[in-house]
Amino acid sequence: MKVISLFFIKLFSKLPFRVLYGIADFLYFILYYIIGYRKKIVRNNLLIVFPYKSKEERKIIEKSFYKNFSDFMVELLKAFTMTSEDYKGKIRFTNLEVLKQEKDVILLTGHMFNWEWLTGIAPDLPQENKFAIYKKVANNFFDQEVHESRSRFGAIPLSVKDVGRTMIKQPNDGSHIYFFVADQSPFKNRIHYELNFFNRMTPAFNGYDKIARKKDYVIIYVDMVKLKRGSYEARLKRICPEGEKFYENEIVEKFYQELAQNIKTHPGLWLWSHKRWKYTSGIDYQL
């Protein structure tokens, strides 16, 4: 069954983009108008983040999200057979020179479409050793296939549970780069830090903060922008400390500040269907 599933996934993946985006249009219609996939979660999240916008304005963002999400779904499957040259035509970095450092680098981004394609341009990064930090997918078969897809171009998939030990062991010599999708929601029993994110106390994953400060890594934020359908730009910005060195959780706070600005500027690109405030102690806005 798994072999058959993989066969059809890769067969689907080989379809040209014009066909895939036609499928994405149909998928958008199904998800938004027929199924209403997580629509209550999306609307509640939009109300939390944009309480000052009108219902009509939030509706525009809502539809934009579902269209981008549908594109993301077919792009994720397309990644199974994309080549390095394919990625160069679909995603590019700006300010790439900021990665040329004598120290190791941590790349931080949020669930902004299309974060999954970032590993495809790993050959363009100046560091010899590239690590893509990931959280295991519930479906073991799909998790394995995504794992292999991410590693095809030189990025080494590294489980979040193993990343701390790996980073501590590696020398900080500028030859390593670690890529985190850092707006993951921690499990309820692993919440160690909360911060103000869109005027709501929000549990934040902060495991990378202590290691980054101890090892004195260079911190880079990746501002994801969708230029047009199937074309993305990863804009790199260095995050610097207020003083000589980062204070505790300063990296986490500044990451969320950058992410908030990214969301405000391109609201249709964030993963609004994610239960971001699932464990917050704040009171939800009512729809």
Side-chain angles (χ1 to χ4, degrees):
M1 187 63 183
K2 291 181 179 179
V3 175
I4 296 174
S5 298
L6 180 60
F7 171 78
F8 282 105
I9 287 173
K10 292 195 173 180
L11 186 65
F12 179 91
S13 179
K14 290 180 180 180
L15 292 172
F17 273 104
R18 66 179 182 276
V19 175
L20 290 175
Y21 286 130
I23 294 172
D25 289 338
F26 178 70
L27 182 61
Y28 160 70
F29 178 80
I30 296 297
L31 291 177
Y32 188 74
Y33 290 103
I34 306 299
I35 300 175
Y37 174 72
R38 293 198 169 195
K39 193 174 282 189
K40 184 176 180 180
I41 295 171
V42 172
R43 289 179 175 175
N44 193 61
N45 285 341
L46 284 168
L47 194 53
I48 289 172
V49 173
F50 299 117
Y52 52 87
K53 289 185 180 292
S54 67
K55 187 176 181 179
E56 290 72 24
E57 289 174 318
R58 291 196 298 273
K59 189 89 167 183
I60 292 172
I61 298 173
E62 177 183 304
K63 288 185 175 181
S64 176
F65 158 70
Y66 279 97
K67 289 177 182 178
N68 287 315
F69 180 69
S70 299
D71 283 358
F72 168 74
M73 294 299 290
V74 299
E75 289 169 355
L76 179 61
L77 293 177
K78 183 66 175 177
F80 282 93
T81 56
M82 285 177 70
T83 66
S84 181
E85 288 301 313
D86 290 332
Y87 276 111
K88 287 183 179 179
K90 296 295 180 181
I91 186 169
R92 67 173 185 263
F93 277 122
T94 61
N95 198 24
L96 192 63
E97 60 274 9
V98 77
L99 295 180
K100 297 177 181 179
Q101 301 287 340
E102 295 181 358
K103 300 176 182 178
D104 289 349
V105 173
I106 289 180
L107 286 179
L108 298 175
T109 193
H111 282 92
M112 302 290 293
F113 302 125
N114 183 347
W115 72 88
E116 281 289 348
W117 274 8
L118 283 173
T119 56
I121 38 77
D124 294 337
L125 307 182
Q127 287 76 14
E128 180 181 354
N129 305 289
K130 299 123 178 154
F131 296 92
I133 317 306
Y134 75 98
K135 193 173 182 180
K136 184 177 174 62
V137 179
N139 184 295
N140 289 331
F141 168 71
F142 195 70
D143 180 78
Q144 181 181 348
E145 294 306 317
V146 172
H147 186 284
E148 292 181 5
S149 176
R150 290 169 175 170
S151 62
R152 282 191 300 127
F153 304 106
I156 303 169
L158 186 61
S159 171
V160 68
K161 68 178 182 179
D162 298 323
V163 64
R165 291 190 296 270
T166 301
M167 295 173 80
I168 289 294
K169 291 178 181 178
Q170 301 295 339
N172 186 6
D173 58 4
S175 67
H176 307 84
I177 188 166
Y178 303 89
F179 170 56
F180 287 82
V181 181
D183 60 342
Q184 299 273 8
S185 295
F187 293 115
K188 189 173 184 179
N189 61 347
R190 295 182 182 178
I191 296 175
H192 303 297
Y193 184 67
E194 290 185 307
L195 48 70
N196 187 332
F197 184 50
F198 288 111
N199 298 315
R200 176 160 298 223
M201 292 308 295
T202 305
F205 171 69
N206 68 340
Y208 57 86
D209 181 87
K210 185 176 181 179
I211 299 174
R213 289 184 292 109
K214 181 176 182 178
K215 300 275 286 188
D216 194 25
Y217 289 143
V218 173
I219 311 299
I220 306 293
Y221 179 74
V222 185
D223 186 347
M224 290 297 296
V225 177
K226 187 173 186 177
L227 303 176
K228 60 181 181 179
R229 201 172 208 182
S231 180
Y232 297 88
E233 188 171 80
R235 300 172 181 175
L236 305 181
K237 178 181 179 181
R238 183 167 182 176
I239 295 178
C240 298
E242 293 295 331
E244 185 177 339
K245 292 185 177 182
F246 287 108
Y247 59 78
E248 185 176 5
N249 289 314
E250 183 182 4
I251 298 171
V252 185
E253 292 172 3
K254 289 192 171 181
F255 161 71
Y256 273 93
Q257 290 169 9
E258 294 291 345
L259 177 61
Q261 185 58 47
N262 206 170
I263 292 169
K264 289 176 183 177
T265 306
H266 304 283
L269 296 182
W270 197 43
L271 190 63
W272 293 100
S273 56
H274 176 51
K275 292 183 179 181
R276 191 61 194 86
W277 289 278
K278 184 176 180 180
Y279 300 124
T280 182
S281 56
I283 300 174
D284 285 343
Y285 291 93
Q286 297 300 311
L287 296 178

